[in-house]
Amino acid sequence: AQSVTQLDSHVSVSEGTPVLLRCNYSSSYSPSLFWYVQHPNKGLQLLLKYTSAATLVKGINGFEAEFKKSETSFHLTKPSAHMSDAAEYFCVVSDASGTYKYIFGTGTRLKVLA
Amino acid sequence: DAMVIQNPRYQVTQFGKPVTLSCSQTLNHNVMYWYQQKSSQAPKLLFHYYDKDFNNEADTPDNFQSRRPNTSFCFLDIRSPGLGDAAMYLCATSRDIPLAETWRTQYFGPGTRLLVL
């Protein structure tokens, strides 16, 4: 069975400092992993994805994530936070079992302080 | 640009009055999903279509129905909305072509926020 755990429900950083949002997963199959961002009253925007190619994935807006199979982790990072990064972030896993389903983490709310 | 479109963005309905939310896509994706998202929660899958095949989640209430008349459009019908159905409803699509760039990637619409009075 698949599962996703986002280790922090809230993260606060100062503008210009690094961002780390943590995600651990469990999957019986070769997983695909995604990070989505959601601003208030908006849909989900894809930040980046891992689908068994390079383990270090670069996404939009300066975000990147590293797939670490030994640690079953897919943490999201950004070197320097911007005020516009304040939003809800979801880590999502999908496996190759053919169910076409996606398991969402509970989300991490990122707050960026001026 | 290819995209997922949801109309309306905000919908107000009365308790017990049927309501339909719509989703269209120009991505030519074969899989379409409906999610319900309540405040400060992750999206919850209601059902999905793989081509014309409808797949209901076991815990989706009977009050929720869906139609997919063609590849581009999908509708969510709430037969008798209750106060607990007030939420953001998200439509998403994906394309099941292995090894394609977009394989297994979901693309979301902007959502429809439903208010039940």
Side-chain angles (χ1 to χ4, degrees):
Chain A
Q2 302 173 91
S3 66
V4 176
T5 302
Q6 291 185 241
L7 297 160
D8 306 292
S9 59
H10 294 81
V11 170
S12 291
V13 300
S14 297
E15 189 175 23
T17 65
V19 175
L20 170 64
L21 304 184
R22 298 182 294 166
C23 173
N24 285 98
Y25 72 92
S26 172
S27 177
S28 303
Y29 301 90
S30 176
S32 288
L33 292 156
F34 308 83
W35 277 99
Y36 287 87
V37 60
Q38 185 177 34
H39 288 91
N41 288 312
K42 297 290 178 66
L44 277 71
Q45 181 184 17
L46 179 68
L47 278 178
L48 49 80
K49 62 182 179 182
Y50 165 79
T51 54
S52 76
T55 57
L56 181 62
V57 181
K58 293 188 183 298
I60 62 171
N61 301 335
F63 285 95
E64 64 180 40
E66 186 172 8
F67 174 72
K68 293 187 176 180
K69 186 174 181 179
S70 61
E71 299 177 10
T72 61
S73 69
F74 190 58
H75 301 334
L76 181 70
T77 60
K78 182 174 180 178
S80 176
H82 191 272
M83 296 297 288
S84 60
D85 295 328
E88 188 86 20
Y89 291 78
F90 291 100
C91 181
V92 182
V93 65
S94 174
D95 67 25
S97 66
T99 61
Y100 311 105
K101 290 186 183 180
Y102 299 78
I103 306 302
F104 281 74
T106 50
T108 298
R109 182 166 296 276
L110 176 65
K111 187 175 182 179
V112 182
L113 307 172
Chain B
D1 287 338
M3 56 176 59
V4 181
I5 302 161
Q6 290 188 246
N7 286 307
R9 294 294 312 278
Y10 297 90
Q11 176 74 56
V12 181
T13 191
Q14 293 179 332
F15 183 93
K17 184 176 181 180
V19 65
T20 295
L21 309 182
S22 70
C23 176
S24 64
Q25 52 126 341
T26 60
L27 297 162
N28 200 31
H29 286 177
N30 63 319
V31 191
M32 294 187 76
Y33 308 78
W34 278 105
Y35 289 87
Q36 180 192 64
Q37 186 181 26
K38 296 189 175 181
S39 181
S40 300
Q41 295 183 18
K44 178 181 180 297
L45 182 64
L46 295 173
F47 23 62
H48 75 277
Y49 277 93
Y50 185 95
D51 294 328
K52 295 183 179 180
D53 294 334
F54 177 71
N55 298 271
N56 199 28
E57 293 301 296
D59 58 353
T60 297
D62 293 339
N63 198 26
F64 291 85
Q65 305 285 321
S66 186
R67 296 170 284 135
R68 189 179 186 187
N70 54 52
T71 300
S72 300
F73 285 86
C74 195
F75 299 97
L76 170 62
D77 301 308
I78 309 176
R79 293 192 295 186
S80 182
L83 297 179
D85 297 327
M88 173 77 89
Y89 289 88
L90 296 165
C91 175
T93 71
S94 69
R95 191 174 189 187
D96 183 32
I97 299 180
L99 304 181
E101 172 60 25
T102 59
W103 185 40
R104 294 166 66 183
T105 302
Q106 279 194 316
Y107 294 87
F108 285 83
T112 294
R113 182 163 294 283
L114 179 67
L115 180 63
V116 181
L117 301 179

